[in-house]
Amino acid sequence: MRNFFFNVLCFLAVFAPFQFALNIAPGFDVAVLRVVIILLFVFVVIKSLAEKKLVIPNDQQSILLIAFFVVNAFSLFFADNLVFGIRKILFLASIFPLYFILSDKLNNDLTDKKLIKFTKHLVWGGFLSLVFGFFIFLGQFVFGVDALFGFYKKIGPLFWGQSLSDSVLNYQSFLVNIGGADYFRMASLFPDPHNFALFAGMISFLSFALCVYFFR
């Protein structure tokens, strides 16, 4: 069971930048990964309770993370747009359990081999996302910006959900004007180039760490 659960986490590490969206209702889209995280968290809690091995992390890192979430939730009392604030809190709440899942499974059953394997899967997911984004980026020089924009309009609802797709494509930051001409910035399958840049930046540090490890 341990190996199966660890393999599921490795699969999610690769799948993270390619997740699909569930269009549950008009105006309500949920990324598949967020649903999977909640299901895994419930599974871990039930299994731990059944085995009487439920451990609540009480280290400094966990306390600070919980405090961060509590402060964000408390800020709803001062929000100008309560609905928007609640949506943001629900977003945080849907990915918040991931820390405790990884903390439980990786720290309690951690070996160098498993840590390297999990990191490799994260890097592979980032690499594949980068390659995919690079070919999409080059497509604008072959098919034109309008064709590329049409491509994102088609795949947007599938990967981002209908509501978010409509939002980012109507008020998007994909384009940058250079010398009077519009160019698409690399975004891969992310709804925003800034999100993709943040993801690529984090993965780059893991890639560097793997290189140092293997060269040593």
Side-chain angles (χ1 to χ4, degrees):
M1 180 60 73
R2 284 184 175 182
N3 288 332
F4 172 76
F5 197 87
F6 178 75
N7 289 333
V8 170
L9 293 178
C10 289
F11 171 76
L12 292 179
V14 178
F15 177 66
F18 302 99
Q19 58 180 302
F20 299 95
L22 300 175
N23 298 287
I24 297 177
F28 186 60
D29 307 317
V30 179
V32 172
L33 185 62
R34 290 160 60 183
V35 177
V36 173
I37 289 173
I38 294 175
L39 292 176
L40 286 176
F41 181 70
V42 172
F43 172 79
V44 169
V45 171
I46 294 176
K47 184 173 181 294
S48 299
L49 288 174
E51 297 176 349
K52 297 181 179 180
K53 296 181 180 179
L54 181 62
V55 178
I56 301 177
N58 58 357
D59 55 284
Q60 185 180 30
Q61 180 175 279
S62 301
I63 293 173
L64 288 174
L65 186 63
I66 294 173
F68 172 78
F69 181 78
V70 172
V71 169
N72 276 273
F74 183 73
S75 68
L76 289 177
F77 291 102
F78 310 97
D80 294 329
N81 189 330
L82 183 60
V83 174
F84 185 78
I86 292 175
R87 290 179 62 181
K88 289 296 183 182
I89 292 299
L90 289 176
F91 169 75
L92 285 176
S94 67
I95 61 175
F96 190 68
L98 182 60
Y99 166 78
F100 298 99
I101 295 173
L102 295 177
S103 176
D104 177 64
K105 291 304 172 185
L106 293 184
N107 289 337
N108 296 337
D109 190 30
L110 186 64
T111 61
D112 287 344
K113 184 177 180 180
K114 283 192 173 183
L115 180 60
I116 294 300
K117 181 179 179 180
F118 183 72
T119 306
K120 280 182 178 180
H121 281 78
L122 283 172
V123 172
W124 267 112
F127 174 74
L128 293 175
S129 177
L130 177 64
V131 170
F132 193 80
F134 184 68
F135 279 106
I136 294 177
F137 172 78
L138 291 180
Q140 66 182 310
F141 302 107
V142 179
F143 305 105
V145 171
D146 291 338
L148 199 59
F149 194 71
F151 171 74
Y152 271 110
K153 279 188 175 181
K154 291 181 179 178
I155 69 169
L158 177 63
F159 289 98
W160 313 328
Q162 188 62 56
S163 299
L164 180 58
S165 178
D166 292 340
S167 177
V168 300
L169 291 175
N170 289 329
Y171 305 96
Q172 48 79 30
S173 57
F174 285 105
L175 298 177
V176 60
N177 188 278
I178 302 177
D182 290 331
Y183 295 94
F184 253 88
R185 293 190 285 182
M186 189 182 298
S188 190
L189 294 178
F190 286 74
D192 187 277
H194 303 98
N195 291 339
F196 174 68
L198 176 63
F199 173 78
M202 292 189 295
I203 293 299
S204 66
F205 283 103
L206 293 177
S207 302
F208 177 73
L210 281 181
C211 290
V212 172
Y213 176 83
F214 284 110
F215 278 119
R216 287 177 58 185

